Amino acid sequence: MNSWCIPLADNHLRCDLYLDISRTHYKEYQYEKALKLCYQSHKFARKSKDLLRVARSYHYLGLIKAKKELYSEALEDYKESLALRRGILSESNINLADTFHEMGYIYSCLSQFGDGLFSYQKSLTIRLKVLGDYHLKVAASYNNIGMIHFHQLEYNDALTMLQKCLHIQLYILGDGNLDVASSYNNLGAVYYRQCQYNDALTMYQKCHHIQLQLLDENDIEISNTYNNIGAVYDSQSNYQDALLMYRKSLCIQLYTLGGENLDVATSYNNIGCIYSHQHHHQDALSMFRKSLDIRQKILGEYSLEIATTYDNIGSIYYHQGKFEDALTWYEKSVSIRMVTFQHNHQSIVATLKMIANIYYLLKNNTEACKILHRVRNFHSTLIDDITLNRKALKTVISTQV
C-alpha cells in the first residue's frame, strides 16, 4: 500500500513525516524536492502550534535554501528559527548553537564577515560548554572562524583557529580522513597568503597524500590540490614543476568537467602564465586564447576574468614587440574595468600605465601624456577611497564581539 494514502490526522506526525522525507532528498542533493516537502512540514508544524517544530522547519528551510544559494531567504528562515528557539530553550542549548553556526555560514557567503564571526563565536561558546573541547562540531566552529579571519586578511588569527581544528580532527579521526585533508588545504592557503611557501607546500602535499588514498584519481578535489601545489611552485619561480602540476589539474578537469568550464579556463590561464615566464610566447598565447574562448562563452564580454585575459594577451604581444596589437588588447581590458569598477580601481591604473608606455614606444608622446594625466587623476581618487576604506574597517573591528 502506498504510504502517501495513509490518513494522518495528527499534525505532529504529518510534520515529522514530511520533514524526514525532505531530509532524505536533501542528502541525495535533490534540493527542489526537499524544499517542497519541507514547506509541507512547515505548514503542519504551524497547524500543530508546536513552536519547536516550527523552529526546526525554519532551520531546515534555511539549510535547503543555502544549498540553492538563496542566501538572503535562508538568513530570514534562520532568524525566525533562532527567535523561536531562544524563546523556549536555554541559551546553552545545542540547537541554538547549530542555528548560530548556519547563520555564520550565510553571512560569510554574503561577505558580511563581521556578522559571520559574531555568529560563529556564539555557536562555539555554546558548543564548548555543552560538548567539551574535543568534538567535531567544535572543530567545525574553529575551522569556520579561521576562514573568516582568512577572508579578513587576519592570517595569524586564521592559523590559530585552523590549527585548533586540525588538532581535534587528528585526535578523533586520525590522519586518513578527508576532513583532515581539508584542514591541511586551508592551512596551506593561509601559509601561501603569508608567502611562507615551504610551509604551504608541506600542507598541500599532506592534503594530497590523504586524497590519493581515499578518492578516485580523477576526483575534482585532487585537481584542486594539484592547482594549489602548482601555484606554490609558480610563486617560487619553479616553473617546470608548476607546469607539471597545472597540467595534471587540467587533465582531471577536462575528464570530469568537460571543455567548457570556468575552472578549465583558469587552468589554461595558469599554464599560459607559466609559458610566459619561460618566454614561450606562442604557447602562452595559445593558452590565453583557449581561456578567453571559454570565458566569453560563459561570462559574456564584461567580466573581470575576461579583462585579466585581455591583459595577459596584451602582455605577450608587448614582449614580442608587437606594440599595436598589445595596445588593442590593453584598451579592451580598460574598457571592461572602467564599467566594472566605475572608473576607480588600481588595476585600471596599472593597465593605463602600460598603454602610456606603449604610446611612448610608438613615438606618440601626445597620447602618452594624455594617458598619464588620466593616471594622475585616478591616483588622487584612489588615495581618497583607500583612506575611507581603512576608516570603515576600523569601525567594523571595533564593533565585533
Side-chain angles (χ1 to χ4, degrees):
M1 182 178 181
N2 191 325
S3 61
W4 290 101
C5 297
I6 299 174
L8 294 173
D10 194 305
N11 287 324
H12 287 172
L13 291 177
R14 289 176 182 270
C15 168
D16 295 346
L17 176 61
Y18 277 117
L19 186 60
D20 286 343
I21 300 172
S22 172
R23 291 170 68 179
T24 298
H25 287 299
Y26 177 86
K27 292 175 182 177
E28 294 174 350
Y29 311 107
Q30 298 174 356
Y31 299 126
E32 197 60 44
K33 290 181 180 179
L35 186 61
K36 289 179 181 178
L37 289 164
C38 195
Y39 272 124
Q40 288 295 317
S41 174
H42 181 69
K43 180 179 74 173
F44 287 111
R46 292 179 68 89
K47 284 184 177 181
S48 75
K49 298 182 180 180
D50 184 328
L51 294 183
L52 281 179
R53 278 185 166 85
V54 175
R56 183 183 62 180
S57 64
Y58 271 127
H59 182 88
Y60 279 102
L61 284 170
L63 283 176
I64 298 166
K65 289 175 184 178
K67 290 295 185 182
K68 290 169 64 66
E69 299 183 3
L70 302 172
Y71 297 127
S72 296
E73 292 183 30
L75 184 59
E76 291 307 310
D77 288 328
Y78 286 136
K79 286 180 177 179
E80 293 284 355
S81 177
L82 183 65
L84 289 170
R85 284 176 167 174
R86 294 185 95 169
I88 302 169
L89 305 173
S90 72
E91 284 295 316
S92 61
N93 187 280
I94 197 64
N95 288 323
L96 287 181
D98 292 343
T99 303
F100 275 123
H101 187 85
E102 297 303 336
M103 288 175 68
Y105 171 76
I106 297 299
Y107 282 126
S108 299
C109 292
L110 295 171
S111 298
Q112 298 177 23
F113 297 121
D115 291 328
L117 184 60
F118 174 84
S119 296
Y120 282 140
Q121 287 174 331
K122 292 285 285 186
S123 177
L124 175 61
T125 299
I126 299 171
R127 286 176 171 180
L128 284 170
K129 184 176 181 179
V130 177
L131 303 174
D133 292 333
Y134 287 90
H135 193 282
L136 290 178
K137 283 192 173 183
V138 173
S141 292
Y142 283 134
N143 176 80
N144 290 3
I145 291 172
M147 295 313 294
I148 290 279
H149 287 306
F150 175 81
H151 289 298
Q152 291 182 317
L153 313 183
E154 299 163 356
Y155 297 129
N156 288 333
D157 291 333
L159 277 179
T160 298
M161 293 294 106
L162 293 174
Q163 286 166 346
K164 285 184 177 183
C165 172
L166 178 62
H167 177 71
I168 296 170
Q169 289 174 332
L170 288 173
Y171 180 83
I172 297 174
L173 302 172
D175 200 24
N177 181 277
L178 289 176
D179 287 339
V180 173
S182 179
S183 289
Y184 283 133
N185 176 79
N186 293 344
L187 284 165
V190 177
Y191 284 128
Y192 180 82
R193 287 286 183 87
Q194 291 181 313
C195 300
Q196 299 181 32
Y197 298 126
N198 288 333
D199 290 330
L201 187 59
T202 298
M203 292 298 106
Y204 285 140
Q205 287 173 336
K206 285 185 176 183
C207 172
H208 183 233
H209 177 73
I210 296 171
Q211 288 174 335
L212 287 179
Q213 291 179 324
L214 300 177
L215 298 174
D216 181 82
E217 63 181 3
N218 288 315
D219 193 283
I220 201 65
E221 292 299 324
I222 293 178
S223 169
N224 293 338
T225 304
Y226 281 134
N227 178 80
N228 293 342
I229 293 172
V232 174
Y233 285 136
D234 190 352
S235 297
Q236 293 176 317
S237 301
N238 183 352
Y239 299 130
Q240 202 60 39
D241 287 335
L243 185 59
L244 176 63
M245 292 296 108
Y246 285 147
R247 282 174 172 169
K248 285 187 175 183
S249 177
L250 175 62
C251 184
I252 295 173
Q253 288 172 338
L254 289 171
Y255 179 84
T256 306
L257 304 174
E260 294 187 4
N261 181 276
L262 288 176
D263 289 337
V264 172
T266 298
S267 288
Y268 281 132
N269 179 80
N270 292 346
I271 292 171
C273 289
I274 296 298
Y275 283 136
S276 178
H277 292 317
Q278 294 176 320
H279 307 293
H280 298 160
H281 297 310
Q282 285 305 118
D283 291 330
L285 193 58
S286 173
M287 292 297 106
F288 290 143
R289 286 189 177 278
K290 285 185 177 182
S291 177
L292 179 62
D293 286 343
I294 296 170
R295 287 173 169 172
Q296 286 179 325
K297 286 179 183 177
I298 298 174
L299 300 173
E301 188 62 32
Y302 286 92
S303 161
L304 288 179
E305 288 88 349
I306 290 174
T308 299
T309 310
Y310 285 154
D311 280 334
N312 290 342
I313 293 173
S315 176
I316 295 300
Y317 284 126
Y318 177 86
H319 287 102
Q320 288 180 319
K322 299 177 180 179
F323 300 129
E324 294 281 1
D325 291 330
L327 187 61
T328 298
W329 291 96
Y330 282 133
E331 287 176 340
K332 284 185 175 184
S333 170
V334 167
S335 67
I336 293 175
R337 295 182 190 278
M338 295 278 277
V339 171
T340 304
F341 291 119
Q342 298 180 344
H343 301 254
N344 182 16
H345 196 268
Q346 288 169 321
S347 66
I348 299 176
V349 171
T351 306
L352 285 175
K353 285 182 177 179
M354 289 300 301
I355 291 172
N357 187 45
I358 291 172
Y359 277 123
Y360 274 125
L361 292 170
L362 293 172
K363 312 297 185 185
N364 190 339
N365 293 343
T366 301
E367 283 300 317
C369 288
K370 288 180 181 178
I371 297 297
L372 289 177
H373 180 69
R374 290 174 65 188
V375 168
R376 282 193 292 270
N377 289 337
F378 276 121
H379 268 307
S380 175
T381 308
L382 285 167
I383 289 170
D384 290 340
D385 279 358
I386 290 168
T387 303
L388 287 171
N389 287 337
R390 284 174 180 164
K391 288 179 180 177
L393 182 59
K394 289 178 183 176
T395 304
V396 170
I397 291 172
S398 67
T399 59
Q400 289 174 0
V401 173

